[in-house]
Amino acid sequence: MRPAEWITLIAQFAHLSQRQRQAGIALLHGNAPHDATVALLENVAQPRLACPACGSAHLHRHRHRHGHAHGLQRYRCVPCGRTFNALTGTPLARLRHKSLWLDYADCLLASDSVRKAARQLGVHRNTSFRWRHRFLSLAKTDRPHGLHGIAEADELYLLASEKGSRNMTRPPRRRGGHAHKRGISNEQVCILVARDRTGQTLDFVTGKGALTKAQLHHCLLPVIDKDVLLVTDGHAAYRAFAREAGISHVAVNLRAGIRVQGAAHVQNVNAYHSRLRQWLGPFHGVATRYLSNYLGWRWILDARRIRSPETLLKATLGAFPHLMVT
């Protein structure tokens, strides 16, 4: 390499991300990013290696190996004869460019847009979009099993979006537009958020229109303790739900300007709403059919249980960090 080219190359180092610098160091040591990703995938798969077709853990001997394909070890099941690898039956099955997956996980943790992540990795925007929802399909399920003590619940409404749909049920509009009807209507999607005082949070996309008592029974009843104190605003559906479920309930009259009644308030859940709305803003309206993925993505960032690309990649395969104490 000519000296001028070397100077130009060195000058570009300052613009590298932390992940890119680590990948460069690994490459200089003879460890390609592809090899590091494959090693991580194999390590996650080994402890729970079983045939995805029949569930058997009885694999052919000789270290349970049956060749390689696409850089991954192949395994053959003895009972059914099927072959599989560490990604078979996972959200990452049949995806390419494994060497870029850790970099893409970095983009998710940075809340990068589809196009920004695509530019950084040098892939097509459709690939970036596909990876986003594959990575989140299992990782979003890392949630608390229930809420305890004092639990706050409140709902927020987002404009229903058919973004990306080929067969729309309404005339198109600008992304992030406004509803034509005043108040709450079937133009809006309801998101129910429940959060206890330890910060454990659960959210549910209940559907279009106002929240109902039946939806509360379906969403909240399985995940709250019988001795929980449920704190909400004055919505009639919460009162009816609490009475029928036999749980303690306090309604804070926000319309009268009363925000705190002793220990009863909904400020924690409203603060979560605020962070969620602010975070969703740069996406300019997310498709309703993918809304649960975005809610899971927001929880990943807010809970800070997943802080590294490696941990997120493991969660994508269903290997989560230590379970929350609930």
Side-chain angles (χ1 to χ4, degrees):
M1 178 180 290
R2 296 177 180 176
E5 294 174 342
W6 171 249
I7 293 173
T8 302
L9 177 63
I10 291 296
Q12 294 175 344
F13 285 4
H15 303 292
L16 297 179
S17 67
Q18 182 66 24
R19 167 59 51 188
Q20 290 169 335
R21 293 179 184 182
Q22 291 175 352
I25 293 172
L27 194 61
L28 291 174
H29 283 88
N31 300 320
H34 178 273
D35 296 335
T37 304
V38 168
L40 178 63
L41 298 174
E42 296 285 10
N43 288 338
V44 172
Q46 282 296 330
R48 48 183 184 167
L49 206 56
C51 175
C54 67
S56 173
H58 185 194
L59 309 180
H60 275 283
R61 293 185 180 277
H62 187 58
R63 298 183 183 178
H64 304 297
R65 295 185 174 181
H66 197 77
H68 288 76
H70 307 292
L72 292 172
Q73 178 67 57
R74 300 289 301 178
Y75 305 94
R76 181 179 289 277
C77 175
V78 171
C80 70
R82 300 284 186 89
T83 59
F84 61 95
N85 62 30
L87 297 180
T88 304
T90 72
L92 299 182
R94 301 183 183 277
L95 294 184
R96 301 180 180 180
H97 308 300
K98 298 179 183 65
S99 61
L100 299 177
W101 287 357
L102 287 173
D103 287 326
Y104 189 76
D106 240 349
C107 292
L108 284 178
L109 294 176
S111 300
D112 289 341
S113 68
V114 164
R115 292 176 184 271
K116 181 178 180 181
R119 287 195 303 269
Q120 287 187 1
L121 303 184
V123 298
H124 195 272
R125 62 181 180 276
N126 291 350
T127 299
S128 177
F129 179 81
R130 186 182 307 112
W131 285 6
R132 169 183 288 182
H133 295 291
R134 291 283 194 96
F135 270 63
L136 295 172
S137 59
L138 265 184
K140 69 179 181 182
T141 64
D142 182 32
R143 295 298 189 96
H145 299 299
L147 305 177
H148 316 285
I150 301 176
E152 305 171 21
D154 197 7
E155 72 279 8
L156 64 87
Y157 294 88
L158 299 177
L159 197 60
S161 172
E162 298 182 27
K163 186 176 178 180
S165 176
R166 295 181 182 273
N167 301 303
M168 298 183 64
T169 60
R170 55 162 177 77
R173 63 163 184 263
R174 290 182 63 86
R175 293 179 182 175
H178 302 281
H180 291 93
K181 301 177 183 178
R182 295 184 64 183
I184 299 170
S185 68
N186 59 2
E187 293 184 79
Q188 297 166 317
V189 177
C190 176
I191 301 172
L192 172 65
V193 179
R195 183 178 175 93
D196 67 22
R197 294 295 169 82
T198 66
Q200 304 303 302
T201 306
L202 293 168
D203 48 54
F204 311 88
V205 181
T206 63
K208 294 182 179 180
L211 181 68
T212 66
K213 176 185 66 175
Q215 291 169 342
L216 289 171
H217 275 282
H218 175 73
C219 298
L220 285 188
L221 193 58
V223 297
I224 57 176
D225 288 344
K226 278 293 184 180
D227 60 351
V228 75
L229 173 61
L230 181 64
V231 184
T232 69
D233 60 15
H235 196 305
Y238 292 114
R239 291 196 299 269
F241 161 71
R243 183 174 61 252
E244 294 180 7
I247 61 175
S248 301
H249 175 238
V250 175
V252 180
N253 192 351
L254 297 179
R255 290 188 177 182
I258 301 173
R259 297 189 174 275
V260 179
Q261 296 177 203
H265 61 78
V266 289
Q267 293 185 3
N268 287 324
V269 70
N270 285 339
Y272 190 84
H273 284 179
S274 179
R275 294 195 299 273
L276 175 60
R277 284 187 183 277
Q278 184 178 11
W279 178 78
L280 287 173
F283 297 115
H284 303 292
V286 301
T288 299
R289 60 177 171 167
Y290 293 120
L291 190 51
S292 61
N293 285 356
Y294 285 91
L295 294 176
W297 185 6
R298 179 60 222 172
W299 169 244
I300 287 172
L301 301 176
D302 199 81
R304 297 185 61 80
R305 280 172 41 77
I306 297 177
R307 304 189 185 191
S308 69
E310 291 80 6
T311 306
L312 180 54
L313 187 58
K314 291 178 182 179
T316 302
L317 301 177
F320 300 115
H322 294 298
L323 294 176
M324 301 175 183
V325 178
T326 59

